């Protein structure tokens, strides 16, 4: 049976709140150089959490937030079942509103797969 690894819901919510507060503060301060500048398109990606996972069946399966659901990511064949890995979740926002997530999976400190869901 496939095991789907969950990310920490509290960390996800806190990350979304951080992005929201960042843009609210810029709007309140009316900082034209940071928030209203043509250089700031409103996109912000923040790391939410990382978890320990294990390769199983040549993949890593995860439960993703924001209604995205369960997904499995392929792992290169050079990494056998049982290999320890780390999966990290970043939340993508536009003007503080969540628009997607990005997942990275690293083995021995090297990113072996990276995948975005939604707008990221």
């Amino acid at each position: 049976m496939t095991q789907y690894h969950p990310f920490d819901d509290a960390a996800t919510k806190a990350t979304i709140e951080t992005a929201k507060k960042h843009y609210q503060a810029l709007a309140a301060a009316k900082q034209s150089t940071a928030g209203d500048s043509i250089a700031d398109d409103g996109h912000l990606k923040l790391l939410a959490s990382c978890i320990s996972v294990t390769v199983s069946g040549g993949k890593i399966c995860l439960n993703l937030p924001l209604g995205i659901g369960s997904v499995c990511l392929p792992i290169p064949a050079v990494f056998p079942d049982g290999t320890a890995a780390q999966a990290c979740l970043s939340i993508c926002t536009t003007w503080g509103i969540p628009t997607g997530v990005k997942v990275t999976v690293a083995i021995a400190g090297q990113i072996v797969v990276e995948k975005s869901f939604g707008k990221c």
Side-chain angles (χ1 to χ4, degrees):
M1 177 178 252
T2 302
Q3 179 183 3
Y4 290 88
H5 302 276
F7 287 99
D8 182 1
D9 286 336
T12 299
K13 289 176 185 173
T15 301
I16 293 169
E17 191 61 27
T18 297
K20 186 180 193 181
K21 286 180 180 179
H22 171 71
Y23 280 102
Q24 286 174 340
L26 289 177
K30 296 187 184 189
Q31 295 177 347
S32 61
T33 59
D36 296 333
S37 164
I38 194 165
D40 187 352
D41 66 357
H43 294 100
L44 183 65
K45 180 178 70 171
L46 294 170
L47 179 67
S49 66
C50 294
I51 58 174
S52 295
V53 295
T54 304
V55 176
S56 178
K59 62 189 176 205
I60 302 247
C61 296
L62 304 161
N63 285 326
L64 301 179
L66 304 179
I68 295 167
S70 300
V71 300
C72 293
L73 301 175
I75 301 299
V78 297
F79 301 104
D81 286 0
T83 300
Q86 181 182 50
C88 293
L89 176 75
S90 294
I91 305 297
C92 301
T93 67
T94 302
W95 304 116
I97 299 167
T99 57
V101 301
K102 182 175 184 178
V103 176
T104 57
V105 177
I107 296 175
Q110 295 296 313
I111 294 175
V112 296
V113 64
E114 199 170 47
K115 176 77 175 129
S116 294
F117 300 88
K119 185 174 184 204
C120 222

